PDB file of all heavy atoms in Angstrom:
ATOM      1  N   ARG B 291       8.618   9.040 -28.503  1.00  0.00           N
ATOM      2  CA  ARG B 291       9.905   9.729 -28.618  1.00  0.00           C
ATOM      3  C   ARG B 291      10.742   9.473 -27.360  1.00  0.00           C
ATOM      4  O   ARG B 291      11.910   9.130 -27.491  1.00  0.00           O
ATOM      5  CB  ARG B 291       9.678  11.240 -28.795  1.00  0.00           C
ATOM      6  CG  ARG B 291      10.882  12.047 -29.109  1.00  0.00           C
ATOM      7  CD  ARG B 291      10.572  13.549 -29.378  1.00  0.00           C
ATOM      8  NE  ARG B 291      11.713  14.313 -29.879  1.00  0.00           N
ATOM      9  CZ  ARG B 291      12.580  14.939 -29.026  1.00  0.00           C
ATOM     10  NH1 ARG B 291      12.440  14.813 -27.770  1.00  0.00           N
ATOM     11  NH2 ARG B 291      13.610  15.540 -29.580  1.00  0.00           N
ATOM     12  N   CYS B 292      10.192   9.629 -26.172  1.00  0.00           N
ATOM     13  CA  CYS B 292      11.007   9.607 -24.950  1.00  0.00           C
ATOM     14  C   CYS B 292      10.656   8.444 -23.997  1.00  0.00           C
ATOM     15  O   CYS B 292      11.240   8.302 -22.972  1.00  0.00           O
ATOM     16  CB  CYS B 292      10.871  10.985 -24.226  1.00  0.00           C
ATOM     17  SG  CYS B 292       9.366  11.150 -23.297  1.00  0.00           S
ATOM     18  N   ILE B 303       5.628  16.609 -22.353  1.00  0.00           N
ATOM     19  CA  ILE B 303       6.886  17.324 -22.449  1.00  0.00           C
ATOM     20  C   ILE B 303       7.399  17.354 -23.916  1.00  0.00           C
ATOM     21  O   ILE B 303       7.796  18.378 -24.439  1.00  0.00           O
ATOM     22  CB  ILE B 303       7.915  16.597 -21.532  1.00  0.00           C
ATOM     23  CG1 ILE B 303       7.488  16.862 -20.027  1.00  0.00           C
ATOM     24  CG2 ILE B 303       9.276  17.099 -21.839  1.00  0.00           C
ATOM     25  CD1 ILE B 303       8.363  16.137 -19.050  1.00  0.00           C
ATOM     26  N   CYS B 304       7.302  16.220 -24.612  1.00  0.00           N
ATOM     27  CA  CYS B 304       7.822  16.156 -26.007  1.00  0.00           C
ATOM     28  C   CYS B 304       6.943  17.050 -26.941  1.00  0.00           C
ATOM     29  O   CYS B 304       7.499  17.498 -27.964  1.00  0.00           O
ATOM     30  CB  CYS B 304       7.839  14.750 -26.549  1.00  0.00           C
ATOM     31  SG  CYS B 304       9.181  13.773 -25.893  1.00  0.00           S
ATOM     32  N   SER B 305       5.703  17.301 -26.592  1.00  0.00           N
ATOM     33  CA  SER B 305       4.881  18.113 -27.485  1.00  0.00           C
ATOM     34  C   SER B 305       4.747  19.538 -27.056  1.00  0.00           C
ATOM     35  O   SER B 305       4.135  20.319 -27.713  1.00  0.00           O
ATOM     36  CB  SER B 305       3.475  17.482 -27.553  1.00  0.00           C
ATOM     37  OG  SER B 305       2.874  17.426 -26.292  1.00  0.00           O
ATOM     38  N   SER B 306       5.499  19.896 -25.936  1.00  0.00           N
ATOM     39  CA  SER B 306       5.463  21.256 -25.456  1.00  0.00           C
ATOM     40  C   SER B 306       6.296  22.191 -26.276  1.00  0.00           C
ATOM     41  O   SER B 306       7.471  21.893 -26.578  1.00  0.00           O
ATOM     42  CB  SER B 306       5.885  21.291 -23.987  1.00  0.00           C
ATOM     43  OG  SER B 306       6.151  22.651 -23.615  1.00  0.00           O
ATOM     44  N   ARG B 309       9.708  23.864 -24.346  1.00  0.00           N
ATOM     45  CA  ARG B 309      10.824  23.109 -23.860  1.00  0.00           C
ATOM     46  C   ARG B 309      12.092  23.361 -24.803  1.00  0.00           C
ATOM     47  O   ARG B 309      11.937  23.501 -26.027  1.00  0.00           O
ATOM     48  CB  ARG B 309      10.523  21.600 -23.860  1.00  0.00           C
ATOM     49  CG  ARG B 309       9.514  21.248 -22.773  1.00  0.00           C
ATOM     50  CD  ARG B 309      10.254  21.005 -21.505  1.00  0.00           C
ATOM     51  NE  ARG B 309       9.371  20.834 -20.358  1.00  0.00           N
ATOM     52  CZ  ARG B 309       9.798  20.246 -19.195  1.00  0.00           C
ATOM     53  NH1 ARG B 309      11.073  19.960 -19.062  1.00  0.00           N
ATOM     54  NH2 ARG B 309       8.998  20.019 -18.203  1.00  0.00           N
ATOM     55  N   ASP B 310      13.260  23.327 -24.201  1.00  0.00           N
ATOM     56  CA  ASP B 310      14.486  23.487 -24.969  1.00  0.00           C
ATOM     57  C   ASP B 310      14.829  22.151 -25.583  1.00  0.00           C
ATOM     58  O   ASP B 310      15.323  21.257 -24.925  1.00  0.00           O
ATOM     59  CB  ASP B 310      15.560  23.966 -24.000  1.00  0.00           C
ATOM     60  CG  ASP B 310      16.944  24.235 -24.632  1.00  0.00           C
ATOM     61  OD1 ASP B 310      17.032  23.854 -25.899  1.00  0.00           O
ATOM     62  OD2 ASP B 310      17.803  24.729 -24.033  1.00  0.00           O
ATOM     63  N   VAL B 311      14.720  22.037 -26.933  1.00  0.00           N
ATOM     64  CA  VAL B 311      15.007  20.800 -27.583  1.00  0.00           C
ATOM     65  C   VAL B 311      16.448  20.493 -27.780  1.00  0.00           C
ATOM     66  O   VAL B 311      16.812  19.406 -28.202  1.00  0.00           O
ATOM     67  CB  VAL B 311      14.286  20.713 -29.024  1.00  0.00           C
ATOM     68  CG1 VAL B 311      12.801  20.697 -28.833  1.00  0.00           C
ATOM     69  CG2 VAL B 311      14.744  21.884 -29.890  1.00  0.00           C
ATOM     70  N   SER B 312      17.375  21.445 -27.399  1.00  0.00           N
ATOM     71  CA  SER B 312      18.766  21.181 -27.522  1.00  0.00           C
ATOM     72  C   SER B 312      19.305  20.445 -26.314  1.00  0.00           C
ATOM     73  O   SER B 312      20.477  19.986 -26.344  1.00  0.00           O
ATOM     74  CB  SER B 312      19.524  22.479 -27.724  1.00  0.00           C
ATOM     75  OG  SER B 312      19.593  23.222 -26.547  1.00  0.00           O
ATOM     76  N   LEU B 313      18.552  20.267 -25.277  1.00  0.00           N
ATOM     77  CA  LEU B 313      18.947  19.573 -24.054  1.00  0.00           C
ATOM     78  C   LEU B 313      18.190  18.281 -23.968  1.00  0.00           C
ATOM     79  O   LEU B 313      16.957  18.286 -24.073  1.00  0.00           O
ATOM     80  CB  LEU B 313      18.664  20.415 -22.829  1.00  0.00           C
ATOM     81  CG  LEU B 313      19.643  21.440 -22.336  1.00  0.00           C
ATOM     82  CD1 LEU B 313      19.039  22.238 -21.218  1.00  0.00           C
ATOM     83  CD2 LEU B 313      20.938  20.706 -21.869  1.00  0.00           C
ATOM     84  N   LEU B 314      18.863  17.157 -23.670  1.00  0.00           N
ATOM     85  CA  LEU B 314      18.199  15.861 -23.455  1.00  0.00           C
ATOM     86  C   LEU B 314      18.721  15.238 -22.135  1.00  0.00           C
ATOM     87  O   LEU B 314      19.898  15.014 -22.065  1.00  0.00           O
ATOM     88  CB  LEU B 314      18.453  14.951 -24.642  1.00  0.00           C
ATOM     89  CG  LEU B 314      17.658  13.598 -24.579  1.00  0.00           C
ATOM     90  CD1 LEU B 314      16.231  13.845 -25.004  1.00  0.00           C
ATOM     91  CD2 LEU B 314      18.317  12.540 -25.465  1.00  0.00           C
ATOM     92  N   CYS B 315      17.822  14.972 -21.263  1.00  0.00           N
ATOM     93  CA  CYS B 315      18.209  14.348 -19.970  1.00  0.00           C
ATOM     94  C   CYS B 315      17.815  12.878 -19.982  1.00  0.00           C
ATOM     95  O   CYS B 315      16.725  12.540 -20.242  1.00  0.00           O
ATOM     96  CB  CYS B 315      17.554  15.070 -18.794  1.00  0.00           C
ATOM     97  SG  CYS B 315      17.966  14.387 -17.227  1.00  0.00           S
ATOM     98  N   VAL B 316      18.778  11.976 -19.724  1.00  0.00           N
ATOM     99  CA  VAL B 316      18.535  10.519 -19.741  1.00  0.00           C
ATOM    100  C   VAL B 316      18.292  10.080 -18.313  1.00  0.00           C
ATOM    101  O   VAL B 316      19.215  10.165 -17.458  1.00  0.00           O
ATOM    102  CB  VAL B 316      19.693   9.763 -20.402  1.00  0.00           C
ATOM    103  CG1 VAL B 316      19.454   8.276 -20.373  1.00  0.00           C
ATOM    104  CG2 VAL B 316      19.944  10.299 -21.875  1.00  0.00           C
ATOM    105  N   LEU B 323      12.083  10.967 -13.702  1.00  0.00           N
ATOM    106  CA  LEU B 323      11.762  12.107 -14.496  1.00  0.00           C
ATOM    107  C   LEU B 323      10.881  13.108 -13.690  1.00  0.00           C
ATOM    108  O   LEU B 323      11.145  14.278 -13.637  1.00  0.00           O
ATOM    109  CB  LEU B 323      11.012  11.644 -15.750  1.00  0.00           C
ATOM    110  CG  LEU B 323      10.615  12.749 -16.806  1.00  0.00           C
ATOM    111  CD1 LEU B 323      10.351  12.046 -18.168  1.00  0.00           C
ATOM    112  CD2 LEU B 323       9.368  13.495 -16.434  1.00  0.00           C
ATOM    113  N   TYR B 332      15.177  22.603 -14.707  1.00  0.00           N
ATOM    114  CA  TYR B 332      15.516  21.943 -16.026  1.00  0.00           C
ATOM    115  C   TYR B 332      14.303  22.143 -16.970  1.00  0.00           C
ATOM    116  O   TYR B 332      13.218  21.825 -16.611  1.00  0.00           O
ATOM    117  CB  TYR B 332      15.828  20.490 -15.846  1.00  0.00           C
ATOM    118  CG  TYR B 332      16.156  19.767 -17.059  1.00  0.00           C
ATOM    119  CD1 TYR B 332      17.456  19.853 -17.649  1.00  0.00           C
ATOM    120  CD2 TYR B 332      15.214  18.984 -17.708  1.00  0.00           C
ATOM    121  CE1 TYR B 332      17.744  19.243 -18.841  1.00  0.00           C
ATOM    122  CE2 TYR B 332      15.494  18.295 -18.901  1.00  0.00           C
ATOM    123  CZ  TYR B 332      16.768  18.437 -19.503  1.00  0.00           C
ATOM    124  OH  TYR B 332      17.114  17.808 -20.626  1.00  0.00           O
ATOM    125  N   ASN B 333      14.643  22.637 -18.153  1.00  0.00           N
ATOM    126  CA  ASN B 333      13.537  22.935 -19.070  1.00  0.00           C
ATOM    127  C   ASN B 333      13.805  22.227 -20.457  1.00  0.00           C
ATOM    128  O   ASN B 333      13.252  22.610 -21.419  1.00  0.00           O
ATOM    129  CB  ASN B 333      13.399  24.400 -19.279  1.00  0.00           C
ATOM    130  CG  ASN B 333      12.124  24.789 -19.969  1.00  0.00           C
ATOM    131  OD1 ASN B 333      11.123  24.106 -19.731  1.00  0.00           O
ATOM    132  ND2 ASN B 333      12.098  25.772 -20.867  1.00  0.00           N
ATOM    133  N   GLY B 334      14.607  21.171 -20.383  1.00  0.00           N
ATOM    134  CA  GLY B 334      14.931  20.499 -21.666  1.00  0.00           C
ATOM    135  C   GLY B 334      14.022  19.295 -21.843  1.00  0.00           C
ATOM    136  O   GLY B 334      12.981  19.134 -21.257  1.00  0.00           O
ATOM    137  N   MET B 335      14.403  18.375 -22.733  1.00  0.00           N
ATOM    138  CA  MET B 335      13.611  17.143 -23.007  1.00  0.00           C
ATOM    139  C   MET B 335      14.184  16.015 -22.174  1.00  0.00           C
ATOM    140  O   MET B 335      15.207  16.164 -21.498  1.00  0.00           O
ATOM    141  CB  MET B 335      13.761  16.804 -24.509  1.00  0.00           C
ATOM    142  CG  MET B 335      13.599  17.974 -25.464  1.00  0.00           C
ATOM    143  SD  MET B 335      12.036  18.776 -25.344  1.00  0.00           S
ATOM    144  CE  MET B 335      11.032  17.639 -26.349  1.00  0.00           C
ATOM    145  N   TYR B 336      13.521  14.872 -22.252  1.00  0.00           N
ATOM    146  CA  TYR B 336      14.010  13.711 -21.529  1.00  0.00           C
ATOM    147  C   TYR B 336      14.041  12.486 -22.456  1.00  0.00           C
ATOM    148  O   TYR B 336      13.378  12.483 -23.495  1.00  0.00           O
ATOM    149  CB  TYR B 336      12.994  13.383 -20.363  1.00  0.00           C
ATOM    150  CG  TYR B 336      13.099  14.305 -19.206  1.00  0.00           C
ATOM    151  CD1 TYR B 336      12.154  15.409 -19.216  1.00  0.00           C
ATOM    152  CD2 TYR B 336      13.954  14.194 -18.158  1.00  0.00           C
ATOM    153  CE1 TYR B 336      12.192  16.372 -18.188  1.00  0.00           C
ATOM    154  CE2 TYR B 336      13.976  15.103 -17.119  1.00  0.00           C
ATOM    155  CZ  TYR B 336      13.096  16.135 -17.148  1.00  0.00           C
ATOM    156  OH  TYR B 336      13.060  17.048 -16.090  1.00  0.00           O
ATOM    157  N   PHE B 337      14.780  11.491 -21.992  1.00  0.00           N
ATOM    158  CA  PHE B 337      14.702  10.139 -22.546  1.00  0.00           C
ATOM    159  C   PHE B 337      14.656   9.181 -21.428  1.00  0.00           C
ATOM    160  O   PHE B 337      15.561   9.155 -20.607  1.00  0.00           O
ATOM    161  CB  PHE B 337      15.875   9.857 -23.549  1.00  0.00           C
ATOM    162  CG  PHE B 337      15.697   8.562 -24.281  1.00  0.00           C
ATOM    163  CD1 PHE B 337      14.922   8.502 -25.455  1.00  0.00           C
ATOM    164  CD2 PHE B 337      16.220   7.382 -23.778  1.00  0.00           C
ATOM    165  CE1 PHE B 337      14.795   7.308 -26.142  1.00  0.00           C
ATOM    166  CE2 PHE B 337      16.061   6.182 -24.479  1.00  0.00           C
ATOM    167  CZ  PHE B 337      15.351   6.172 -25.687  1.00  0.00           C
ATOM    168  N   LEU B 362      17.583   9.573 -32.180  1.00  0.00           N
ATOM    169  CA  LEU B 362      17.249  10.873 -31.682  1.00  0.00           C
ATOM    170  C   LEU B 362      18.543  11.829 -31.776  1.00  0.00           C
ATOM    171  O   LEU B 362      18.444  12.968 -32.232  1.00  0.00           O
ATOM    172  CB  LEU B 362      16.780  10.778 -30.286  1.00  0.00           C
ATOM    173  CG  LEU B 362      15.676  11.674 -29.743  1.00  0.00           C
ATOM    174  CD1 LEU B 362      14.472  11.642 -30.595  1.00  0.00           C
ATOM    175  CD2 LEU B 362      15.364  11.271 -28.291  1.00  0.00           C
ATOM    176  N   GLU B 367      19.435  18.030 -33.495  1.00  0.00           N
ATOM    177  CA  GLU B 367      18.827  19.123 -32.662  1.00  0.00           C
ATOM    178  C   GLU B 367      19.584  19.218 -31.276  1.00  0.00           C
ATOM    179  O   GLU B 367      19.693  20.283 -30.734  1.00  0.00           O
ATOM    180  CB  GLU B 367      17.414  18.888 -32.385  1.00  0.00           C
ATOM    181  CG  GLU B 367      16.433  19.329 -33.475  1.00  0.00           C
ATOM    182  CD  GLU B 367      15.001  19.081 -33.013  1.00  0.00           C
ATOM    183  OE1 GLU B 367      14.696  18.162 -32.278  1.00  0.00           O
ATOM    184  OE2 GLU B 367      14.139  19.866 -33.495  1.00  0.00           O
ATOM    185  N   ILE B 368      19.999  18.023 -30.790  1.00  0.00           N
ATOM    186  CA  ILE B 368      20.522  17.985 -29.398  1.00  0.00           C
ATOM    187  C   ILE B 368      21.975  18.417 -29.283  1.00  0.00           C
ATOM    188  O   ILE B 368      22.809  17.954 -30.064  1.00  0.00           O
ATOM    189  CB  ILE B 368      20.317  16.517 -28.877  1.00  0.00           C
ATOM    190  CG1 ILE B 368      18.847  16.214 -28.796  1.00  0.00           C
ATOM    191  CG2 ILE B 368      21.011  16.377 -27.513  1.00  0.00           C
ATOM    192  CD1 ILE B 368      18.572  14.763 -28.807  1.00  0.00           C
TER     193      ILE B 368
END
Side-chain angles (χ1 to χ4, degrees):
Chain B
R291 187 176 188 271
C292 78
I303 291 175
C304 284
S305 58
S306 165
R309 290 275 175 166
D310 182 351
V311 292
S312 71
L313 271 173
L314 186 79
C315 179
V316 177
L323 184 159
Y332 179 78
N333 194 36
M335 316 298 279
Y336 289 94
F337 187 83
L362 213 56
E367 277 181 331
I368 296 157

